[in-house]
Amino acid sequence: LTRFERNKSAGYLSRVSVTTGGGFTWIKKDNTLDVSSEVSLGWSGENNLVAPAVIGGEPTTRVANFVSSIMTHKLICNLTKTAQLSFQGVVFNNLKDLEAFRVNSYTALSASISASLALKTSFQVVYENQPVAGYKPTDIYFLSSLVVKM
């Protein structure tokens, strides 16, 4: 699995992860409930902002490379034939510095409005135990989406 993230408002210009791992389905009930977990181990590289750019100049950045692990837990519950509740929790561990971990929590409710369209409302919390200096540790997002099913 390869992952790329960019979030200048959280102080990082890029994060790249290359991981390998496996997963297990704990519960799978007649298209109504699905509970699963995944664990992976790999390499991560970050390009973090240390100081903002002075007018006409480049920002000061710090590059970090480390061995990492990712643990993901998912729960998907089909409430009706057209409505679904889902939760995903992800823990990112820096195995070089165990206090430098991140936790993402994502909860969503989606409702189909036709065979190919759905409305989705979601709430996401992104926590970083050791945020980039000068940035807050927690970001909260409330999202509304129109999902096209293909």
Side-chain angles (χ1 to χ4, degrees), residues 99-119:
E99 291 185 17
F101 64 88
R102 302 187 323 265
V103 178
N104 292 358
S105 172
Y106 179 81
T107 304
L109 178 63
S110 62
S112 295
I113 54 177
S114 74
S116 58
L117 291 175
L119 294 175

Side-chain angles (χ1 to χ4, degrees), residues 41-53:
L41 187 64
W43 169 88
S44 293
E46 298 182 352
N47 186 10
N48 296 327
L49 191 60
V50 175

Side-chain angles (χ1 to χ4, degrees), residues 49-126:
L49 191 60
V50 175
V54 179
I55 296 174
E58 291 292 318
T60 304
T61 61
R62 178 181 59 88
V63 175
N65 296 298
F66 51 89
V67 175
S68 62
S69 69
I70 301 173
M71 291 186 306
T72 303
H73 302 288
K74 296 178 189 175
L75 177 134
I76 298 171
C77 181
N78 292 319
L79 303 172
T80 66
K81 289 182 180 181
T82 60
Q84 182 181 75
L85 178 67
S86 60
F87 171 79
Q88 180 174 344
V90 183
V91 178
F92 302 89
N93 294 300
N94 176 341
L95 298 180
K96 188 175 180 182
D97 178 4
L98 295 178
E99 291 185 17
F101 64 88
R102 302 187 323 265
V103 178
N104 292 358
S105 172
Y106 179 81
T107 304
L109 178 63
S110 62
S112 295
I113 54 177
S114 74
S116 58
L117 291 175
L119 294 175
K120 183 182 236 181
T121 300
S122 57
F123 181 73
Q124 184 174 10
V125 178
V126 178

Side-chain angles (χ1 to χ4, degrees), residues 1-5 14-20 40-46 66-70 92-93 102:
L1 177 67
T2 303
R3 164 183 238 135
F4 175 81
E5 296 177 84
S14 65
R15 280 188 175 141
V16 177
S17 297
V18 179
T19 61
T20 185
S40 62
L41 187 64
W43 169 88
S44 293
E46 298 182 352
F66 51 89
V67 175
S68 62
S69 69
I70 301 173
F92 302 89
N93 294 300
R102 302 187 323 265

